[in-house]
Amino acid sequence: MPKKKRQTLTGYAFLAPALLIFLVMVVIPVIISLILAFTKWNFFSGFSGLRFVGLRNFNRLFASDRSFQTALINTLVYAVTIVPVTVFMGLLLAHFVNGRVYCQRFYRLAFFVPYISNMVALGAVFKFLFRSDGPINGILKGVFHVQAVPDWLVSSSLSRIPIICVMIYSGIGFCLIIYIAALKNVPKDLYEAAQVDGASPIKQFFKITMPMISPTTFYLVVVRLILTFQIFAAINIISESGKSSGSVSLVVLIYEEAFKNYNFGYASAEAWILVLFILGVTLLNFKLRKKWVHY
Amino acid sequence: MQDKRLSIKKLVLTMLLAIFAILFLLPLLWMLSSSLKTPMQVFEGEFRWIADKLHWNNYVSVWSNPDLPFWRMLVNSSLISVTTVAGQLFVASLAAYAFAKIEFKGRDVIFIIMLVTMMIPVQALIIPRYMLFFKIGLYDTLLSVILPNFFSVTTIFLLRQFYMGIPNELIEAAWLDGAGHFKIWAKVTMPLTKNGMISAAILAFINSWNEYLNPLIFLPSQDNYTVALGIRWYMNDTAREYNLMMSAAACTIIPIILIYISAQKYFEDGIVASSVKG
């Protein structure tokens, strides 16, 4: 056998396990799910109950499905609140932890623990903290003398706040670790030169640190956005009433449509809206990159 | 003089940050405190970090609860995580070697396709996976949450970085000695990617331990519950015993913190290495 052909065979032999699982668990499901998005099908009606309906699922989603529209708006609200705060807090803390304090290792651990904690456990804790008779309202009453404390979990407009809080809480540690690695790569002599020129620490932060680590900020914004669009566990744990509650997100909707009602066709259509949403925003991110990321 | 002043400034910053770090950890400290109280004490008007005494037997009752013994959740989650790590590393190490060190037709195309599919959220794949598992009898078995995670683009990507760092001369030398690619992978190069393997293993373990959506869908019977589903059970339980719920939450979080502390360096290196833009 010629050497080149043997190389190719060996290559595919090494790839075989990965390719097999990739095909069965990713490629084929993508195709099936795309087909299902254009059907009306309840899982328990069997394959004979499957009907192709063209674009009708998508029409219904945008024309008349109120909970889908709420979910779409909520998912956006989560993204624009959670991501900027998480990334900024991560940067701020990384700035101090990296070389400006003693016991760096301890601080990295302290801020990182929520990130590696199970979201269900964090959700359980935050759900208690935000109870109408819980510690948060206790502080509002006792320290800030607020008389009419809100009922965070029941109110439809406020129920998003505990969820936003727990997501920020768990995400900061990840941004911190990535930022610390990036900060170590910023050349020291840039700061020395700035000091000679008499630039204040705050000016140094905005004029040197921020531009130098903008590729990291870009990376964090992209991955945290993708993650926040898939927000599920926090809502599933903290919200009282699933689909009808004011905090519903796209994935909560997909989950309920698929695994409570078993409408696999409609749920797949919703899932593909999510896919397009993520693809669109990520492409937009890369388009806007030139405007603020310095390489 | 200059040094002394600088270090005082550093000390003050350390103290300020310490206060912030403690505030930051308050929710988790509250969890620990509540897990050692009686149900009544959790709701007491006057808050105390430690009520009369520490009720360690909360942990005993959670572990051996006859309705839902939490030790079984810990065993299930450990089984799932360990198997996932072993399978994922084996599959990814082979693939990473091929992507980095063997030249063959279609290699780069396949790699790019795999990277692109990272953008597709798992929620778009979960319905067809459910149909498949239902059909082949994997539904409601631990394998249904293990198998999909044998393939991980992140881990392949991370290990590929490590294989790329190994000089080709080393492989050519082994080649001349008559070793084939498989032997080179197992004996020569894989040991050199040890740090990458440890990082990837810890990352995969924690991801798998903390997974929620997949177990929620694929593991309906209580015998197969993972730790996350166990906590959820306490939340839906009508008794709403917050002290027990918090004991379960603490049992879920503490093992992960211990793993992190024992391998902090590998862990952080892994997170950073897998985030390097390709």
Side-chain angles (χ1 to χ4, degrees), chain A residues 21, chain B residues 75-91 142-151 201 204-205 208-209:
Chain A
I21 303 169
Chain B
V75 169
N76 285 343
S77 280
S78 308
L79 269 176
I80 292 173
S81 302
V82 169
T83 321
T84 301
V85 167
Q88 192 183 105
L89 283 192
F90 175 73
V91 171
L142 299 188
L143 270 179
S144 62
V145 292
I146 294 170
L147 271 185
N149 287 334
F150 275 1
F151 174 78
F205 188 94
S208 157
W209 183 269

Side-chain angles (χ1 to χ4, degrees), chain A residues 24-247:
Chain A
V24 176
M25 293 296 163
V26 180
V27 177
I28 296 173
V30 165
I31 297 166
I32 294 178
S33 141
L34 195 57
I35 296 171
L36 284 179
F38 298 96
T39 68
K40 181 176 166 57
W41 183 44
N42 185 295
F43 180 59
F44 289 115
S45 69
F47 282 115
S48 55
L50 191 145
R51 276 194 299 120
F52 279 93
V53 292
L55 288 169
R56 210 174 301 161
N57 285 337
F58 296 95
N59 267 338
R60 202 178 114 200
L61 279 174
F62 285 101
S64 57
D65 191 333
R66 285 289 295 279
S67 51
F68 172 74
Q69 283 149 22
T70 315
L72 202 62
I73 292 168
N74 277 347
T75 306
L76 272 175
V77 169
Y78 289 130
V80 297
T81 49
I82 293 167
V83 176
V85 178
T86 314
V87 172
F88 180 74
M89 289 288 288
L91 173 59
L92 199 67
L93 289 172
H95 177 73
F96 287 112
V97 172
N98 181 44
R100 284 178 178 76
V101 293
Y102 296 108
C103 320
Q104 225 199 86
R105 224 179 103 105
F106 162 76
Y107 286 108
R108 291 208 310 262
L109 172 68
F111 294 122
F112 200 65
V113 163
Y115 176 70
I116 50 174
S117 298
N118 197 304
M119 185 44 95
V120 178
L122 290 183
V125 174
F126 272 66
K127 186 166 186 174
F128 185 92
L129 297 182
F130 278 95
R131 280 171 66 101
S132 57
D133 57 352
I136 300 264
N137 278 351
I139 293 169
L140 283 180
K141 266 188 203 151
V143 183
F144 298 100
H145 304 290
V146 180
Q147 289 311 313
V149 287
D151 198 342
W152 303 97
L153 302 173
V154 179
S155 150
S156 68
S157 52
L158 292 175
S159 61
R160 283 170 294 196
I161 291 180
I163 291 155
I164 291 172
C165 289
V166 75
M167 289 295 286
I168 292 173
Y169 186 65
S170 85
I172 287 177
F174 176 76
C175 301
L176 175 95
I177 296 292
I178 302 276
Y179 266 133
I180 286 182
L183 287 174
K184 289 204 194 309
N185 289 330
V186 179
K188 290 267 183 304
D189 42 343
L190 281 180
Y191 294 104
E192 281 155 20
Q195 224 151 22
V196 173
D197 291 345
S200 68
I202 293 175
K203 199 166 178 189
Q204 286 177 31
F205 179 78
F206 284 106
K207 293 288 175 194
I208 300 173
T209 312
M210 293 277 272
M212 285 302 286
I213 57 168
S214 55
T216 306
T217 308
F218 174 74
Y219 166 77
L220 285 173
V221 167
V222 169
V223 296
R224 296 315 288 180
L225 270 178
I226 293 178
L227 208 96
T228 310
F229 286 143
Q230 301 176 52
I231 181 170
F232 174 75
I235 303 173
N236 185 263
I237 292 300
I238 293 176
S239 277
E240 296 283 349
S241 52
K243 194 171 161 177
S244 56
S245 82
S247 56

Side-chain angles (χ1 to χ4, degrees), chain A residues 3-4 6-15 17-19 21-22 24-30 32-33 36 41 43-44 47 89 93 96-97 99-103 105-129 131 133 135 169 172-174 177-178 181 201 215-216 218-219 226 230 232-233 236-238 240 251 254-255 258-259 262-264 267-268 271-272 274-275 278-279 282-283 295, chain B residues 6-11 13-15 17-21 24-28 30-31 42-43 90-91 93-99 101-107 110 113-114 117 119-135 139 147-148 150-151 153 156 175 181-182 185 206-207 209-213 216-217 227-229 231-232 235 240 242 245-246 249 252-253 256-257 260-261 264-265 267-268 271-272 274-277:
Chain A
K3 189 173 174 234
K4 207 163 175 192
R6 228 180 61 195
Q7 282 274 81
T8 305
L9 272 179
T10 328
Y12 280 98
F14 271 74
L15 274 189
L19 270 181
I21 303 169
F22 181 61
V24 176
M25 293 296 163
V26 180
V27 177
I28 296 173
V30 165
I32 294 178
S33 141
L36 284 179
W41 183 44
F43 180 59
F44 289 115
F47 282 115
M89 289 288 288
L93 289 172
F96 287 112
V97 172
R100 284 178 178 76
V101 293
Y102 296 108
C103 320
R105 224 179 103 105
F106 162 76
Y107 286 108
R108 291 208 310 262
L109 172 68
F111 294 122
F112 200 65
V113 163
Y115 176 70
I116 50 174
S117 298
N118 197 304
M119 185 44 95
V120 178
L122 290 183
V125 174
F126 272 66
K127 186 166 186 174
F128 185 92
L129 297 182
R131 280 171 66 101
D133 57 352
Y169 186 65
I172 287 177
F174 176 76
I177 296 292
I178 302 276
T216 306
F218 174 74
Y219 166 77
I226 293 178
Q230 301 176 52
F232 174 75
N236 185 263
I237 292 300
I238 293 176
E240 296 283 349
V251 178
I254 297 168
Y255 168 75
F259 300 105
Y262 291 95
N263 288 327
F264 278 13
S268 296
W272 276 90
L274 176 71
V275 173
I278 290 178
L279 286 176
T282 308
L283 282 179
Y295 283 100
Chain B
L6 274 178
S7 75
I8 286 173
K9 189 178 156 202
K10 207 170 167 181
L11 208 63
L13 267 179
T14 307
M15 307 273 266
L17 200 62
I19 295 170
F20 185 78
F24 190 76
L25 289 177
L26 277 186
L28 293 173
W30 178 85
M31 170 190 80
V42 175
F43 288 101
F90 175 73
V91 171
S93 183
L94 278 173
Y97 179 87
F99 282 133
K101 292 296 173 202
I102 307 176
E103 271 180 46
F104 58 95
K105 225 173 131 184
R107 180 185 77 168
I110 294 174
I113 291 176
M114 284 181 176
T117 55
M119 299 259 291
I120 296 176
V122 68
Q123 292 84 11
L125 312 173
I126 222 157
I127 291 172
R129 281 180 189 172
Y130 180 92
M131 291 157 60
L132 174 75
F133 292 148
F134 217 84
K135 193 101 199 144
Y139 177 68
L147 271 185
F150 275 1
F151 174 78
V153 186
I156 294 177
W175 190 260
H181 270 304
F182 194 79
W185 167 73
I206 292 181
N207 282 337
W209 183 269
N210 287 340
E211 209 169 350
Y212 179 58
L213 182 63
L216 181 66
I217 292 170
V227 281
L229 297 179
I231 302 171
R232 183 188 141 89
M235 300 194 69
R240 285 267 170 115
Y242 269 96
M245 192 196 298
M246 290 305 133
T252 305
I253 292 179
I256 293 297
I257 296 180
Y260 174 65
I261 292 175
Q264 189 168 3
K265 190 188 160 308
F267 191 81
E268 293 175 0
I271 287 194
V272 173
S274 58
S275 78
V276 177
K277 295 142 294 247

